[in-house]
Amino acid sequence: MEKESSKLETIQDIAFKLAEEQLQQLQLNNGPRERTVFLLGSKNVGKTTSINSFFEREESPRPTLALDYSYARKTGAVQKQICHIWELGALDRQLAEVPLRSHGAENLSCIIMLDLSQPHRLWVDLKEAYEILRDFCDKGMVGKGDDNDDGAEKVKLRVKKEHVDLATLNLIPFPVIIVGGKYDLFIGFEPEIKKHICRCLRSMSHLIGAGLLFYSNKIQKLAKTLRDTISHLAFGSPSHPFRSHSTDYNDALSIWFGNDSWDKISPMGVQTLQSIESNLNQEIPQESTTQQKGEKQLRQDPAKDPGFRESIIDEMRAQKDEELRLLIQDSMQKMMRGKFESVK
């Protein structure tokens, strides 16, 4: 009898081990346990509002001065998932490296939000946001993407591996959604302006393998789609947040990964970053980067106005600014180490 009991216990142990292995395999199949969603783009376009909507917060949004962090947890039948959500207040490359480096590019998704109500300023924000992400990839933080690279295969699958335009695209290795915000104000624009803005955004999203969505927090259907999109990037559900497909410039654009082509976008065919910029500038002259940065500096810091120059005070101010910068950098590093250790 004792031998039979021993055999039963051994079989039970084996069963437990098999069940544990199956559970671990299910966890692997369900993707990473931690993901990062990074929102960047135009100022005052609704990034904070969209995050509050995702968390079902009813509080009034406050301007994001630098970098905001929050996280969401979801406990499923198989595993617990955590999503780190970052919002960049202004397009600052140094600050952007914090969320980009935080949990690895393989778990990263980005949302570039642009202000459709400012068509003459749109390209500066779009190009700056794109260059922040592209620089991150080029610095070696992401695999180079040769044919044997697993990450490169995932990118090709996202935009459809047999896509007719695949050889002409310059894909970002992680999921990116370009969101045109303040669509409620964009609706009333002249048809020609809408056509050229839509063509630019479609070309850019197709070139980098991104999704494209128009959004307004005042239009419930569009607000829900963006909320579902953040949930999809964070937790994988719903599996397809874009419930409709729209490429009509008289309607709110909604184009999922890999569902556009150069032939559908315009008769001009294949586009590059330079040609997209040139085409938009011909139709809707864009503010230059230096012009916009100069205006931004004066708005944010009147001390940079030449009319208020005082050499002695300016030298002291520069010294204090440098001390403050080093202090903030040191504090940020300590805060990040402590925060991520506590989350893990």
PDB file of all heavy atoms in Angstrom, residues 231-248:
ATOM      1  N   SER A 231      -5.591  51.161 -25.040  1.00  0.00           N
ATOM      2  CA  SER A 231      -5.783  49.874 -24.369  1.00  0.00           C
ATOM      3  C   SER A 231      -5.171  48.738 -25.183  1.00  0.00           C
ATOM      4  O   SER A 231      -4.553  47.820 -24.628  1.00  0.00           O
ATOM      5  CB  SER A 231      -7.281  49.622 -24.152  1.00  0.00           C
ATOM      6  OG  SER A 231      -7.493  48.371 -23.542  1.00  0.00           O
ATOM      7  N   HIS A 232      -5.312  48.804 -26.497  1.00  0.00           N
ATOM      8  CA  HIS A 232      -4.724  47.774 -27.371  1.00  0.00           C
ATOM      9  C   HIS A 232      -3.202  47.782 -27.259  1.00  0.00           C
ATOM     10  O   HIS A 232      -2.572  46.722 -27.133  1.00  0.00           O
ATOM     11  CB  HIS A 232      -5.144  48.021 -28.821  1.00  0.00           C
ATOM     12  CG  HIS A 232      -4.405  47.170 -29.805  1.00  0.00           C
ATOM     13  ND1 HIS A 232      -4.743  45.864 -30.071  1.00  0.00           N
ATOM     14  CD2 HIS A 232      -3.316  47.448 -30.579  1.00  0.00           C
ATOM     15  CE1 HIS A 232      -3.905  45.363 -30.972  1.00  0.00           C
ATOM     16  NE2 HIS A 232      -3.030  46.306 -31.285  1.00  0.00           N
ATOM     17  N   LEU A 233      -2.599  48.968 -27.303  1.00  0.00           N
ATOM     18  CA  LEU A 233      -1.145  49.051 -27.197  1.00  0.00           C
ATOM     19  C   LEU A 233      -0.656  48.630 -25.814  1.00  0.00           C
ATOM     20  O   LEU A 233       0.423  48.052 -25.682  1.00  0.00           O
ATOM     21  CB  LEU A 233      -0.682  50.483 -27.492  1.00  0.00           C
ATOM     22  CG  LEU A 233      -0.970  51.019 -28.899  1.00  0.00           C
ATOM     23  CD1 LEU A 233      -0.558  52.477 -29.012  1.00  0.00           C
ATOM     24  CD2 LEU A 233      -0.281  50.182 -29.972  1.00  0.00           C
ATOM     25  N   ALA A 234      -1.478  48.905 -24.791  1.00  0.00           N
ATOM     26  CA  ALA A 234      -1.088  48.597 -23.419  1.00  0.00           C
ATOM     27  C   ALA A 234      -1.257  47.118 -23.086  1.00  0.00           C
ATOM     28  O   ALA A 234      -0.380  46.511 -22.455  1.00  0.00           O
ATOM     29  CB  ALA A 234      -1.897  49.449 -22.443  1.00  0.00           C
ATOM     30  N   PHE A 235      -2.382  46.527 -23.506  1.00  0.00           N
ATOM     31  CA  PHE A 235      -2.726  45.174 -23.051  1.00  0.00           C
ATOM     32  C   PHE A 235      -3.103  44.204 -24.183  1.00  0.00           C
ATOM     33  O   PHE A 235      -3.365  43.038 -23.920  1.00  0.00           O
ATOM     34  CB  PHE A 235      -3.883  45.233 -22.054  1.00  0.00           C
ATOM     35  CG  PHE A 235      -3.609  46.091 -20.856  1.00  0.00           C
ATOM     36  CD1 PHE A 235      -4.372  47.211 -20.594  1.00  0.00           C
ATOM     37  CD2 PHE A 235      -2.565  45.788 -19.989  1.00  0.00           C
ATOM     38  CE1 PHE A 235      -4.119  48.014 -19.490  1.00  0.00           C
ATOM     39  CE2 PHE A 235      -2.295  46.585 -18.882  1.00  0.00           C
ATOM     40  CZ  PHE A 235      -3.074  47.698 -18.638  1.00  0.00           C
ATOM     41  N   GLY A 236      -3.157  44.697 -25.410  1.00  0.00           N
ATOM     42  CA  GLY A 236      -3.498  43.814 -26.522  1.00  0.00           C
ATOM     43  C   GLY A 236      -4.977  43.637 -26.753  1.00  0.00           C
ATOM     44  O   GLY A 236      -5.383  42.852 -27.612  1.00  0.00           O
ATOM     45  N   SER A 237      -5.804  44.346 -26.000  1.00  0.00           N
ATOM     46  CA  SER A 237      -7.249  44.239 -26.185  1.00  0.00           C
ATOM     47  C   SER A 237      -7.871  45.635 -26.200  1.00  0.00           C
ATOM     48  O   SER A 237      -7.432  46.518 -25.446  1.00  0.00           O
ATOM     49  CB  SER A 237      -7.875  43.419 -25.056  1.00  0.00           C
ATOM     50  OG  SER A 237      -7.638  44.057 -23.805  1.00  0.00           O
ATOM     51  N   PRO A 238      -8.849  45.875 -27.080  1.00  0.00           N
ATOM     52  CA  PRO A 238      -9.370  44.963 -28.099  1.00  0.00           C
ATOM     53  C   PRO A 238      -8.328  44.661 -29.175  1.00  0.00           C
ATOM     54  O   PRO A 238      -7.393  45.445 -29.354  1.00  0.00           O
ATOM     55  CB  PRO A 238     -10.561  45.733 -28.687  1.00  0.00           C
ATOM     56  CG  PRO A 238     -10.223  47.167 -28.462  1.00  0.00           C
ATOM     57  CD  PRO A 238      -9.486  47.224 -27.169  1.00  0.00           C
ATOM     58  N   SER A 239      -8.504  43.544 -29.861  1.00  0.00           N
ATOM     59  CA  SER A 239      -7.493  43.109 -30.820  1.00  0.00           C
ATOM     60  C   SER A 239      -7.397  44.044 -32.023  1.00  0.00           C
ATOM     61  O   SER A 239      -6.352  44.157 -32.644  1.00  0.00           O
ATOM     62  CB  SER A 239      -7.785  41.680 -31.286  1.00  0.00           C
ATOM     63  OG  SER A 239      -9.076  41.607 -31.856  1.00  0.00           O
ATOM     64  N   HIS A 240      -8.500  44.716 -32.381  1.00  0.00           N
ATOM     65  CA  HIS A 240      -8.493  45.653 -33.508  1.00  0.00           C
ATOM     66  C   HIS A 240      -9.330  46.868 -33.122  1.00  0.00           C
ATOM     67  O   HIS A 240     -10.543  46.893 -33.347  1.00  0.00           O
ATOM     68  CB  HIS A 240      -9.070  44.981 -34.759  1.00  0.00           C
ATOM     69  CG  HIS A 240      -8.754  45.724 -36.026  1.00  0.00           C
ATOM     70  ND1 HIS A 240      -8.681  47.108 -36.084  1.00  0.00           N
ATOM     71  CD2 HIS A 240      -8.499  45.287 -37.282  1.00  0.00           C
ATOM     72  CE1 HIS A 240      -8.394  47.482 -37.322  1.00  0.00           C
ATOM     73  NE2 HIS A 240      -8.262  46.388 -38.069  1.00  0.00           N
ATOM     74  N   PRO A 241      -8.703  47.913 -32.557  1.00  0.00           N
ATOM     75  CA  PRO A 241      -9.472  49.057 -32.050  1.00  0.00           C
ATOM     76  C   PRO A 241     -10.081  49.939 -33.133  1.00  0.00           C
ATOM     77  O   PRO A 241     -11.030  50.674 -32.860  1.00  0.00           O
ATOM     78  CB  PRO A 241      -8.432  49.837 -31.240  1.00  0.00           C
ATOM     79  CG  PRO A 241      -7.124  49.465 -31.835  1.00  0.00           C
ATOM     80  CD  PRO A 241      -7.268  48.052 -32.290  1.00  0.00           C
ATOM     81  N   PHE A 242      -9.527  49.901 -34.361  1.00  0.00           N
ATOM     82  CA  PHE A 242     -10.079  50.711 -35.448  1.00  0.00           C
ATOM     83  C   PHE A 242     -11.270  49.964 -36.047  1.00  0.00           C
ATOM     84  O   PHE A 242     -11.115  49.076 -36.862  1.00  0.00           O
ATOM     85  CB  PHE A 242      -9.034  50.952 -36.533  1.00  0.00           C
ATOM     86  CG  PHE A 242      -7.928  51.905 -36.161  1.00  0.00           C
ATOM     87  CD1 PHE A 242      -7.629  52.190 -34.839  1.00  0.00           C
ATOM     88  CD2 PHE A 242      -7.178  52.531 -37.141  1.00  0.00           C
ATOM     89  CE1 PHE A 242      -6.604  53.066 -34.498  1.00  0.00           C
ATOM     90  CE2 PHE A 242      -6.160  53.407 -36.814  1.00  0.00           C
ATOM     91  CZ  PHE A 242      -5.872  53.670 -35.491  1.00  0.00           C
ATOM     92  N   ARG A 243     -12.460  50.350 -35.630  1.00  0.00           N
ATOM     93  CA  ARG A 243     -13.644  49.615 -36.078  1.00  0.00           C
ATOM     94  C   ARG A 243     -14.037  49.925 -37.528  1.00  0.00           C
ATOM     95  O   ARG A 243     -14.840  49.231 -38.123  1.00  0.00           O
ATOM     96  CB  ARG A 243     -14.828  49.917 -35.142  1.00  0.00           C
ATOM     97  CG  ARG A 243     -14.645  49.316 -33.761  1.00  0.00           C
ATOM     98  CD  ARG A 243     -15.750  49.718 -32.806  1.00  0.00           C
ATOM     99  NE  ARG A 243     -15.597  49.037 -31.525  1.00  0.00           N
ATOM    100  CZ  ARG A 243     -14.737  49.400 -30.583  1.00  0.00           C
ATOM    101  NH1 ARG A 243     -13.959  50.452 -30.783  1.00  0.00           N
ATOM    102  NH2 ARG A 243     -14.641  48.732 -29.462  1.00  0.00           N
ATOM    103  N   SER A 244     -13.506  51.003 -38.066  1.00  0.00           N
ATOM    104  CA  SER A 244     -13.811  51.360 -39.451  1.00  0.00           C
ATOM    105  C   SER A 244     -12.522  51.759 -40.162  1.00  0.00           C
ATOM    106  O   SER A 244     -11.503  52.049 -39.527  1.00  0.00           O
ATOM    107  CB  SER A 244     -14.814  52.521 -39.499  1.00  0.00           C
ATOM    108  OG  SER A 244     -14.271  53.673 -38.871  1.00  0.00           O
ATOM    109  N   HIS A 245     -12.586  51.763 -41.490  1.00  0.00           N
ATOM    110  CA  HIS A 245     -11.452  52.165 -42.323  1.00  0.00           C
ATOM    111  C   HIS A 245     -11.894  53.335 -43.185  1.00  0.00           C
ATOM    112  O   HIS A 245     -12.856  53.234 -43.934  1.00  0.00           O
ATOM    113  CB  HIS A 245     -11.001  50.990 -43.195  1.00  0.00           C
ATOM    114  CG  HIS A 245      -9.920  51.350 -44.181  1.00  0.00           C
ATOM    115  ND1 HIS A 245      -8.601  51.494 -43.813  1.00  0.00           N
ATOM    116  CD2 HIS A 245      -9.977  51.620 -45.515  1.00  0.00           C
ATOM    117  CE1 HIS A 245      -7.885  51.815 -44.878  1.00  0.00           C
ATOM    118  NE2 HIS A 245      -8.696  51.899 -45.928  1.00  0.00           N
ATOM    119  N   SER A 246     -11.208  54.474 -43.048  1.00  0.00           N
ATOM    120  CA  SER A 246     -11.599  55.662 -43.806  1.00  0.00           C
ATOM    121  C   SER A 246     -10.369  56.378 -44.331  1.00  0.00           C
ATOM    122  O   SER A 246      -9.451  56.693 -43.575  1.00  0.00           O
ATOM    123  CB  SER A 246     -12.417  56.618 -42.927  1.00  0.00           C
ATOM    124  OG  SER A 246     -12.688  57.819 -43.618  1.00  0.00           O
ATOM    125  N   THR A 247     -10.348  56.653 -45.646  1.00  0.00           N
ATOM    126  CA  THR A 247      -9.261  57.405 -46.280  1.00  0.00           C
ATOM    127  C   THR A 247      -9.780  58.681 -46.937  1.00  0.00           C
ATOM    128  O   THR A 247      -9.028  59.373 -47.619  1.00  0.00           O
ATOM    129  CB  THR A 247      -8.554  56.539 -47.342  1.00  0.00           C
ATOM    130  OG1 THR A 247      -9.524  56.134 -48.329  1.00  0.00           O
ATOM    131  CG2 THR A 247      -7.926  55.302 -46.718  1.00  0.00           C
ATOM    132  N   ASP A 248     -11.041  59.017 -46.736  1.00  0.00           N
ATOM    133  CA  ASP A 248     -11.677  60.191 -47.338  1.00  0.00           C
ATOM    134  C   ASP A 248     -11.288  61.438 -46.542  1.00  0.00           C
ATOM    135  O   ASP A 248     -11.538  61.514 -45.331  1.00  0.00           O
ATOM    136  CB  ASP A 248     -13.191  60.006 -47.338  1.00  0.00           C
ATOM    137  CG  ASP A 248     -13.924  61.148 -48.031  1.00  0.00           C
ATOM    138  OD1 ASP A 248     -13.273  62.136 -48.442  1.00  0.00           O
ATOM    139  OD2 ASP A 248     -15.163  61.069 -48.152  1.00  0.00           O
TER     140      ASP A 248
END
